[in-house]
Amino acid sequence: MELKEFEQDKKIDPSQLDVEACQQAELFYKWAEKLIEASHEMDRLKARREVMETSLQHQVRKAPQKFGIVKVTEAAVLAAVKCHDDVVEAHELFLEAKYHHGLLLHA
């Protein structure tokens, strides 16, 4: 989200109230659409991360030695998955999308 763009869009020129009033519906839908897109992106990234975690859990259980696990326990499997670089990166992308969504939600 471009904060400068939002700040510019929310400014109202008191000497142009008739023009400003005509633009309000368009601006509302512009930002509502951006919120919907941000929500979709957040949901997409969350689902991607969850699928990745499930896939990695399967891989860890199948070949625990590749992940440095000697004794396969649920806690060991979950720890190996949470620490995996791909999961960490996917979680960071999700958090960034969640932040973006929050900005739009509370704008």
Side-chain angles (χ1 to χ4, degrees), residues 21-44:
C22 291
Q23 293 175 342
Q24 287 307 302
E26 185 178 324
L27 287 174
F28 172 82
Y29 284 106
K30 170 186 173 180
W31 290 100
E33 187 174 274
K34 287 183 182 272
L35 176 59
I36 291 167
E37 290 170 359
S39 181
H40 174 73
E41 180 68 2
M42 187 176 67
D43 291 343
R44 187 185 70 76

Side-chain angles (χ1 to χ4, degrees), residues 82-99:
K82 280 191 170 195
C83 294
H84 194 277
D85 290 343
D86 291 345
V87 172
V88 170
E89 182 181 345
H91 188 66
E92 288 173 359
L93 290 172
F94 168 74
L95 290 177
E96 186 177 318
K98 186 175 179 180
Y99 172 76

Side-chain angles (χ1 to χ4, degrees), residues 32-84:
E33 187 174 274
K34 287 183 182 272
L35 176 59
I36 291 167
E37 290 170 359
S39 181
H40 174 73
E41 180 68 2
M42 187 176 67
D43 291 343
R44 187 185 70 76
L45 289 171
K46 181 179 178 184
R48 179 175 161 223
R49 186 192 69 203
E50 289 171 353
V51 167
M52 183 183 299
E53 288 173 349
T54 302
S55 174
L56 279 169
Q57 285 179 23
H58 176 72
Q59 291 175 36
V60 170
R61 285 184 178 93
K62 191 173 182 179
Q65 65 282 1
K66 288 184 180 179
F67 295 87
I69 297 176
V70 177
K71 183 178 178 185
V72 180
T73 64
E74 189 63 22
V77 170
L78 294 178
V81 168
K82 280 191 170 195
C83 294
H84 194 277

